Amino acid sequence: MFSVALCQQMVNFPTEVIPIFDRELWSRSVRLLDAEPETLGVCQVQVHSLLAKDQRIMRSMNPSDIEKLMSLKGIVIRVSDLMPDMLAAVFRCTTEDCKNEVSVPLSHWAIEEPTRCELCGATHSFQVVHNDSGFADKQLLKLQEPP
């Protein structure tokens, strides 16, 4: 069943709606497959086509289209290497007797470093632990208008 309202929410707010879809897909998969949650792995929703009004050519893109889900017509002329993109950072208190660790998720494209340790009360004593932080792959594309 297709829902126009749900489709519009996905197009206008993809960073909020698609993770909800992923969680719901995972939850339903666990129930329907009668699988153990630990063995199922990650479920990711894939969007294959959008409504015609959400398809654009590069020339008609506007600043209002930023952070929206769009279908863009063009030719890929250059691709970057894969780069790590931090999704959640783990910070460790550098006070010698403390070593408290705090995980901070990405929020509005930024990760806020904790300013005060809850255990020892030290301020500005946190350092990022890169090996324990969460990353995703990011790749940049350079597009050209189709002929």
Side-chain angles (χ1 to χ4, degrees):
M1 178 186 297
F2 179 75
S3 169
V4 175
L6 189 56
C7 181
Q8 285 307 308
Q9 289 293 316
M10 180 184 67
V11 167
N12 291 325
F13 309 104
T15 56
E16 287 87 14
V17 174
I18 291 177
I20 295 169
F21 287 173
D22 290 343
R23 281 192 303 271
E24 185 61 26
L25 176 64
W26 182 85
S27 176
R28 287 179 180 245
S29 297
V30 168
R31 280 194 308 253
L32 292 174
L33 298 173
D34 197 27
E36 291 295 322
E38 298 83 24
T39 62
L40 189 59
V42 178
C43 293
Q44 289 186 318
V45 172
Q46 294 182 359
V47 179
H48 291 280
S49 60
L50 296 173
L51 299 175
K53 67 183 181 118
D54 297 317
Q55 296 176 356
R56 303 270 196 281
I57 58 172
M58 289 180 16
R59 198 171 287 181
S60 68
M61 293 292 290
N62 295 315
S64 62
D65 295 328
I66 293 174
E67 292 192 9
K68 289 188 179 181
L69 188 60
M70 295 281 154
S71 174
L72 187 62
K73 293 186 180 189
I75 300 169
V76 176
I77 59 171
R78 188 171 299 142
V79 179
S80 73
D81 292 333
L82 288 177
M83 299 175 279
D85 191 22
M86 190 176 282
L87 300 177
V90 173
F91 292 92
R92 183 179 295 139
C93 181
T94 56
T95 305
E96 193 161 323
D97 296 333
C98 184
K99 305 298 184 205
N100 179 30
E101 288 189 357
V102 178
S103 180
V104 180
L106 180 71
S107 176
H108 297 92
W109 308 109
I111 294 178
E112 297 287 329
E113 180 179 348
T115 55
R116 185 174 186 275
C117 180
E118 296 292 323
L119 289 181
C120 69
T123 58
H124 304 289
S125 62
F126 283 97
Q127 187 173 24
V128 177
V129 182
H130 288 92
N131 289 344
D132 293 339
S133 298
F135 293 90
D137 290 334
K138 178 171 84 171
Q139 195 169 27
L140 302 178
L141 304 175
K142 188 167 185 179
L143 294 177
Q144 176 180 312
E145 285 190 46

